[in-house]
Amino acid sequence: MIETEPPQKIKFYTTGFAGRDINDLKSLLEALEAALLVDVRFSANSTVMRWRRIYLKTLLREKYQHVPQLGNRAFGENKAQIQNLELGIKILVSFNANAVLMCECLDPQQCHRRIIADELRGKGFEVEELQDWKSGKTVFERFSD
């Protein structure tokens, strides 16, 4: 069994890419000392080419990981239904690195990543929502229903 307790001080950031500039991604990861951008969409596709998995993988190489287990399989239905939260969290922890968890939604209150963030916090991890990709400004948010 894979442990989900923090083996070291791992920090997670959450964000949505809607309305953001993809050119800010590399410098954002560097500024946050995040080793990975973890795509938490169920399907890493988009009508906009630059937000498709193939493009992100080409841009970020080994710094890009898609974890569909943390995706919202009810995305188009205006509700959150994580594919496999427990397994997805285990995969995140196995990376053993600071990471930015990204999906499409701009508003974290209306997004499935709030469930992921609360689960990580419940396991003792530090999680902050990114407000500004250019400055790396974050806000600690504890989501509630």
Side-chain angles (χ1 to χ4, degrees), residues 47-105:
T47 56
V48 180
M49 179 62 177
R50 68 182 168 267
W51 297 115
R52 292 182 190 164
R53 178 168 135 180
I54 188 80
Y55 188 91
L56 291 165
K57 184 71 174 169
T58 301
L59 177 70
L60 299 173
R61 303 190 187 278
E62 70 282 347
K63 290 187 174 211
Y64 174 82
Q65 294 291 326
H66 179 223
V67 180
Q69 293 84 355
L70 291 174
N72 182 7
R73 59 184 176 180
F75 176 69
E77 302 170 31
N78 284 334
K79 61 182 180 179
Q81 191 173 12
I82 308 291
Q83 176 65 18
N84 189 331
L85 184 60
E86 183 181 347
L87 178 57
I89 296 295
K90 287 178 181 178
I91 292 168
L92 280 181
V93 173
S94 76
F95 294 142
N96 198 27
N98 293 348
V100 173
L101 312 181
M102 183 190 77
C103 68
E104 181 177 355
C105 308

